Every structure is written in structure tokens, then in C-alpha cells.
């Protein structure tokens, strides 16, 4: 193309494309407020929407458990290849790390989890799980589709990004500590902040919720063996009864939260396992108990752990038993999910620009856990909920339930929130770095 022709087409281009969001320059801080609505509009277009729906349904039909997400990971890579997005693979067995933008700092990460649950699906529909005993009952199929949706929209605007967006597809969120393994594999290298979303069946579609500070509890598990001395039930004085000792241990464990914890600092100790004895007239040698403990603050969680150990061994000793307590070497130990305050501000602005302030809700903290917390131990992170509920479409069941159903209308919201958060983070970091440069030069 000759130069004059080029200038001519450039002028035409400028005249036709009045929408600055479609211009070729980088995103600027003046247009940040328009981006969320624009991205939502783009992802609601039939072409993008049904593409996400297709991915989600494909994953839904073929659910894979933690660290077995080989096919899921393959689908993700295939889509990234089609989009022309570069990635690293494998990390932590099946994990994928995509990169969009300049390849230079700042780096901001968006995370989706890939694994399903060992649940038999009870929803009868065309795209029901084809794998017996396995089901996407926590919406991770939708999480993956939404992150790919974000990838598509970001890739379309890659020349306008002032930094790099890292797409983090992780294995094993459901109790496997996949996040920890991704970090060990270097997934957070250079990354300054990370966002993740979770679908929420209790929140209407078109609404989001979250909060700064503790959002989800940290959790741990314990198992204890209480050893006595077995014998005939009719002559208890010749035995050391571990059943009675274990019963008192369980009652004493309840005192930790009710008598030792600050009532305004929510905590839970639950014994969910009690195994011992097999006959009406025999005192057994030992009893095994086990359970979980939860807290919204890290210090409270480690205090619970310490006191559970002390209470079990001491209370068992009161009744002449010995006890061993196993915390599984901190495997299964999840820190609380604590949202960064600055990222909360950023999220509130983006979500309000997209949905209006009345659709941006303050979430109550929950005592469930998320392995997203592991990322937040390393860098500032932010987790938020995206609503699924639409009563006119009927009940969709709740998460981890065999009747759980994702309302696919959520997909554009999640995709565009992901993409808008990343873009806005990069813009704000760019502005901040400029300011820092300026003060730095002033100092010189
Ligand atoms: C996106 O925006 C265009 C133009 O502003 C509008 O005509 C279209 O209906 C919007 N699409 C959706 C899905 O909202
Ligand atoms: C809820 O579902 C109805 C019926 O399918 C649909 O018309 C409506 O747009 C949905 N609402 C939202 C907010 O997506």
C-alpha cells in the first residue's frame, strides 16, 4: 500500500471508528470508566456468548478430578492456540499459564480452577456429565469458560495493554492445594496482583459481591487416636475406657470456641468422625475421632490448632488414656482468604461502572475455604462472587449439590469483569509508576 493510500485509509478509519475503544492507541485513564460496559457488551454478543457456552458444556460433559484435568487442560490450550495466546504448560501436572500483552511489567494474574467433584450428577439435560460419579458441581467449568472469554476480549485489544495479563488455569482446587503447587511451579513469577471469581447460586445474575479483608475462613483437619485398654463391659474397673474419654474430649473441644475465642472473631471446631467399638459388651482398646477447624484470621487458626492438640491429649490423660493427634503435616491446611483493600477499591469501581452500584453487594464472610488464599499469602489478591440466580429460569440448586446447575447467562459477566479488572489494574499501575518516576526524578 502506497503512503498516500495509507494516509487515506487511516483517515477513513478515524472517521468511521468514532468509538475510542476501537482505536489503536493504548487504553488511557480517561476511558477506564467505559471499558467494563463495553467489554460486557462484547461478551454478550451471540458469537462470543455461544462460544463460551460451548466450552462450558464440553467441560461439563467431561468432568475431571484434581490433578487429572488432562482433557480440560487440552481444551484450554486448544482455545488459546486458536486465539493466538502464548502459554506455558504443564505447571503442577495439568496447569496452564497464558500471557497477553507486552510481555513486560506490570503483570496481573486472573485465575480459574479446572477440577470437578466426586458427585453423581442428578440434573437431566442434554449436556449432563458423561462420567459416572463425577460432576462439575462447583461451577469450575464456567470459571474456565469465563477466563477464556476474558482471554478472547483481551487478546483482541492486546496492543492497547500497558503490561501483561497472566491467565492462570490451575488444577486441584477442591482440597488438593493446586494453588500451592502452581506457586511452587513459578506461576506468580513477576506477578503483582491476582484476581479470581466464584459463581454464587444465592446471588442474582447481574450482581456481584465481595468484601475487603477476610472473606473466607482458613481451615485445617485433625484426626486423633485415643488409646485406653479394652476389656469386658461388665467389669469396667479392669479397663481404661477410651469411649468415655473420647466423649469428654469432644465436649472439651467445644469449649475452645465458646470459652477461649473472641465472640466477634468467628471460629468453628467440628468433630465429624467418631469410630470405636463394635459390640454391646466390649470396651474397645481405642477410639478414633477427627474433624475440622475454621477461622477468619490466621492467628486464630493457628491458635485453634495448638489448643485442639493440647485439649485432646490433656483431656485423654485425665481419664488415663493416651492420645496422638495428627494434623497431616499441614497438608489440607488452608489459610483464610483475605482480600486486599486496594484491590477491593479497584473491584468496586470496575463492578460499579459495569453494573451500577446497586448491583455491587457487600458479602458476608463465610466459613468455607478456598485455595486462592495461598496466592494471597504471596501477593495481594482479590476473590469475588458473581451471581447465578434467575428465578424465572427455576431453581439451580446450590454448589456441591448433585442438582447444581450453572445459569449460563453469568458467562459474559464473569468474562468481562475479569478482563476489565486486568485492564484497569494495568492502567492504574502505569499511572502509579509514572508518578513514582516523577518523584524519583525530582529527588535526583
Ligand atoms: C452492544 O452495543 C450496541 C451498540 O451500542 C447495541 O446495539 C447492542 O445491542 C449491544 N449488545 C448487547 C448484547 O448489549
Ligand atoms: C432471567 O431469565 C429470563 C427468562 O429466561 C430472561 O428473560 C432474563 O433476561 C433473565 N435475567 C437476567 C438478568 O439475565
Amino acid at each position: 500500500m502506497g503512503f498516500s493510500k495509507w494516509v487515506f485509509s487511516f483517515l477513513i478509519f478515524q472517521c468511521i471508528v468514532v468509538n475510542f475503544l476501537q482505536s489503536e492507541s493504548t487504553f488511557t485513564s480517561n476511558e477506564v470508566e467505559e471499558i467494563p460496559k463495553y467489554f460486557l457488551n462484547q461478551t454478550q454478543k451471540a458469537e462470543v456468548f455461544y462460544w463460551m457456552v460451548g466450552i462450558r458444556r464440553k467441560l461439563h460433559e467431561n468432568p475431571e478430578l484434581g490433578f487429572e484435568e488432562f482433557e480440560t487442560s487440552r481444551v484450554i490450550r486448544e482455545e488459546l492456540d486458536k486465539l493466538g495466546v502464548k502459554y506455558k504448560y504443564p505447571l503442577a501436572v495439568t496447569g496452564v499459564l497464558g500471557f497477553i500483552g507486552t510481555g513486560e511489567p506490570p503483570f496481573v494474574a486472573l485465575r480459574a480452577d479446572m477440577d470437578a467433584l466426586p458427585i453423581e450428577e442428578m440434573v437431566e439435560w442434554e449436556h449432563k456429565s458423561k462420567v459416572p460419579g463425577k460432576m462439575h458441581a462447583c461451577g469450575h467449568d464456567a470459571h474456565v469458560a469465563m477466563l477464556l472469554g476474558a482471554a478472547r476480549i483481551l487478546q483482541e485489544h492486546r496492543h492497547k495493554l500497558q503490561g501483561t495479563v497472566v491467565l492462570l488455569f490451575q488444577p486441584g482446587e477442591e482440597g488438593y492445594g493446586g494453588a500451592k503447587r502452581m506457586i511452587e511451579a513459578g506461576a506468580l513469577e513477576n506477578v503483582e496482583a491476582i484476581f479470581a471469581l466464584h459463581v454464587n447460586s444465592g446471588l442474582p445474575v447481574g450482581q456481584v459481591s465481595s468484601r475487603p479483608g477476610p472473606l473466607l475462613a482458613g481451615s485445617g483437619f485433625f484426626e486423633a487416636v485415643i488409646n485406653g485398654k479394652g476389656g469386658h463391659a461388665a467389669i469396667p474397673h479392669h479397663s481404661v475406657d477410651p469411649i468415655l474419654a473420647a466423649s469428654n474430649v469432644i465436649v472439651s473441644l467445644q469449649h475452645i470456641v465458646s470459652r477461649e475465642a473472641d465472640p466477634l472473631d468467628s471460629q468453628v471446631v467440628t468433630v465429624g468422625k467418631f469410630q470405636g467399638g463394635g459390640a454391646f459388651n466390649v470396651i474397645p482398646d481405642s477410639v478414633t475421632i477427627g474433624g475440622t477447624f475454621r477461622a477468619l484470621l490466621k492467628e486464630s487458626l493457628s491458635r485453634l490448632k495448638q489448643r485442639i492438640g493440647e485439649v485432646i491429649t490433656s483431656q485423654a490423660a485425665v481419664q488415663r488414656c493416651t492420645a496422638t493427634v495428627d494434623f497431616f503435616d499441614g497438608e489440607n491446611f488452608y489459610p483464610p482468604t483475605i482480600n486486599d483493600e486496594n484491590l477491593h477499591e479497584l473491584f468496586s469501581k470496575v463492578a460499579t461502572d459495569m453494573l451500577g452500584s446497586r448491583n455491587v453487594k457487600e458479602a458476608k464472610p463465610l466459613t468455607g475455604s478456598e485455595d486462592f488464599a495461598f496466592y494471597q499469602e504471596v501477593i495481594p489478591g482479590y476473590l469475588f462472587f458473581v451471581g447465578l440466580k434467575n428465578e424465572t429460569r427455576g431453581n439451580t440448586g446450590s454448589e456441591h449439590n448433585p442438582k447444581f446447575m450453572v445459569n449460563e447467562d453469568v458467562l459474559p459477566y464473569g468474562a468481562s469483569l475479569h478482563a476489565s479488572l486486568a485492564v484497569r489494574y494495568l492502567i492504574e499501575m502505569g499511572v502509579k509508576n509514572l508518578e513514582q518516576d516523577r518523584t524519583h526524578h525530582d529527588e535526583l
Side-chain angles (χ1 to χ4, degrees), residues 40-42 44-45:
L40 179 61
N41 178 291
Q42 296 295 296
Q44 280 177 333
K45 278 187 181 162

Side-chain angles (χ1 to χ4, degrees), residues 194-212:
I194 183 164
F195 292 93
L197 59 76
H198 205 297
V199 293
N200 186 321
S201 59
L203 197 67
V205 67
Q207 291 192 0
V208 291
S209 76
S210 191
R211 71 191 307 277

Side-chain angles (χ1 to χ4, degrees), residues 46-112:
E47 190 199 341
V48 181
F49 176 69
Y50 287 109
W51 169 75
M52 286 191 285
V53 165
I55 294 169
R56 186 252 151 182
R57 290 180 177 178
K58 194 191 278 183
L59 300 182
H60 192 86
E61 287 181 5
N62 183 26
E64 298 171 301
L65 302 182
F67 293 115
E68 295 172 1
E69 309 92 338
F70 296 102
E71 185 56 24
T72 307
S73 175
R74 195 192 59 74
V75 169
I76 291 167
R77 282 175 281 126
E78 192 177 277
E79 293 301 337
L80 292 178
D81 281 334
K82 280 191 223 154
L83 293 173
V85 172
K86 294 206 172 69
Y87 55 83
K88 276 194 206 164
Y89 167 83
L91 287 89
V93 189
T94 57
V96 182
L97 207 60
F99 300 92
I100 303 177
T102 60
E104 301 288 325
F107 286 78
V108 60
L110 306 171
R111 174 273 216 163

Side-chain angles (χ1 to χ4, degrees), residues 3 124 143 158 188 193 198 251 257 261 267 349 402 435:
F3 181 69
E124 293 306 326
H143 295 172
R158 64 190 176 281
L188 292 188
H198 205 297
V251 172
V257 173
Q267 300 175 33
K349 285 189 267 184
E435 279 164 4

